[in-house]
Amino acid sequence: MLLQLPRRPLVLLPLLLLAACAKAPAQNLPTTPSLITPAPLLNVPQPALDFAEWRQNLRSEAVAAGIDGALFDRVFAGVTPDPAVIKADSSQPEFTRPIWEYLDGAVSASRVGRGRVLLAQHNVVLRNIEQRYGVEAPILVAIWGLESNFGNNIGSNSVIRSLATLAYEGRRQAFWRNQLLAALQILQNGDISSERMVGSWAGAMGQTQFMPTTYNEHAVDFDGDGKRDLWNSSTDALASAAHYLQSSGWKPGQPWGFEVRLPKQFDYFHADPEQRRTLAEWQALGVYPAISSKGAAVDSRATLVLPAGHRGPAFLLLDNFRSILRYNNSTSYALAIGLLSDNLLNPTEVQASWPRDERQLGRSERIELQQLLAASGFDPGPADGIIGANTRKAIRMLQLQLNEPADGYPSPELLETLRKR
């Protein structure tokens, strides 16, 4: 039995290219993306060794892991830490763009138009990829579009230099060291030369922005030229993204999710990512698709998400949305992929209005909100400015006390209420 599902939005304002990547560090694309004003630099541990000593220790580790010593010496000749990479890793945004502005650019008319052209041009390859991995073409083209503007912006940083910098003096040095060793393995396998191994400041590579460990596990040679080339072969890049999504539990033929209408007097406490119900159970609560079309079985399980609180649109998100989150753990990013993929097939619009008049809390305000929640007897987790599951749960409990819609959304009004308590 199938539930009628909606078609989804075309939003028309421009945005700068996004910087997401498969299994990238979380700071590469925040949940509410796009930096406006940088906050002061975070404390970064100072290296105990100078770079030459550190590089020699790394060489010993790399050789023990099977990396050719001559290759290591050639790749690291002249490599020095990059101060710009440390600055990018150490800073955090004070202000972020609201999700509706992010989506305006992610699903812009120009991106949709270009994506449709490429969807047609690569039709045969995409059908072969879908037959092999079960991932539909529009999703892959949407990822291609957001990750690198369809291969036009793959980054220009030396991956080896960036990763060496982060492994030497960045945060989470063990993580970056592991990525650096994986990058050396890629070079040893001969898929790319060190000079052409370029990417983002965080080491995300190619047209689908894979981290080196993800590359080693999921990159494929789909064009049959003997190399897994995510930089120059769109075929390899698209197939590798499909392989990654398949490994992340992608369910062929199932939508990622859809916009829904909520009944009057709806209990917004149900809008919790930890609450998963079948589509039939959501229907019983009065939750129905905003626009009808064919889609998922009523026994499919979904979560209800209000990305802008109860004043904005509501979405039911299915298992394939969770697979997209494995690619980049950002609700905004995954929603952009879903909406863009829908628009590559049919021009559609989000039915509900975004609360464009509402100001977003800055990072320092979010930290203050968490501190005040804790002082009021709730448990928002660490005061880190990240509005995660614990903070949203604490906000819901406060909203219930205040007899307000318990949507878990951190609004300026809620912060002001806490300041007065």
Side-chain angles (χ1 to χ4, degrees), residues 190-201:
D191 287 328
I192 195 76
S193 67
S194 59
E195 295 77 18
R196 297 174 68 191
M197 183 186 266
V198 295
S200 73
W201 68 263

Side-chain angles (χ1 to χ4, degrees), residues 311-376:
R311 294 184 58 211
F315 298 88
L316 281 181
L317 305 176
L318 286 79
D319 287 340
N320 281 347
F321 191 87
R322 298 156 74 92
S323 297
I324 300 172
L325 287 175
R326 289 285 306 278
Y327 203 104
N328 185 297
N329 191 25
S330 159
T331 298
S332 299
Y333 172 85
L335 190 58
I337 292 295
L339 297 176
L340 178 56
S341 68
D342 289 344
N343 277 278
L344 294 179
L345 296 178
N346 296 292
T348 51
E349 295 183 359
V350 171
Q351 299 301 294
S353 299
W354 295 101
R356 294 179 181 270
D357 60 333
E358 186 165 278
R359 183 179 68 83
Q360 302 292 288
L361 293 181
R363 179 172 177 269
S364 57
E365 290 178 311
R366 297 194 300 270
I367 291 174
E368 181 187 2
L369 175 71
Q370 292 169 320
Q371 292 170 337
L372 292 174
L373 284 168
S376 297

